[in-house]
Amino acid sequence: QVRLVESGGGLVQAGGSLRLSCAASGRTFGSYAMGWFRQAPGKEREFVAAINWSGGVNTNYADSAKGRFTISRDNAKNTVYLQMNSLKPEDTAIYYCARAGVTNPSSFRSAYDYWGQGTQVTVSS
């Protein structure tokens, strides 16, 4: 009932920036939290950042993202963003947008019930 479509990925040099977008189609996000995860080849999908959807903004970041990445939302557009600055080669992965089944910005994969198709981010050295 909820479709998530990521965009904004690409190839950048180390130290560069990218802004990812995740737009929902169909039903709205409601009050559920939204998150970003990433998966590199041969590795498990890992948490990057999450944000609540209603009320005052509450965010949650992986240690690897703190100070470099910023998650934000536009409720009117049913869109969540991930601004990524000071990118490193180790940030290279497929980035997935997801909607949680809870309202808090959870870091657990099990809390998310809808997932996008992913967008590739490649950071060259």
Side-chain angles (χ1 to χ4, degrees), residues 58-99:
N58 186 26
T59 57
N60 188 11
Y61 294 95
D63 287 342
S64 60
K66 291 179 180 177
R68 299 189 300 128
F69 295 0
T70 302
I71 188 170
S72 61
R73 54 173 159 92
D74 187 330
N75 295 68
K77 294 182 178 180
N78 289 325
T79 301
V80 63
Y81 305 94
L82 184 68
Q83 178 67 46
M84 304 187 294
N85 299 324
S86 302
L87 284 163
K88 306 173 182 178
E90 49 263 47
D91 294 318
T92 296
I94 299 176
Y95 283 70
Y96 296 91
C97 174
R99 195 204 77 173

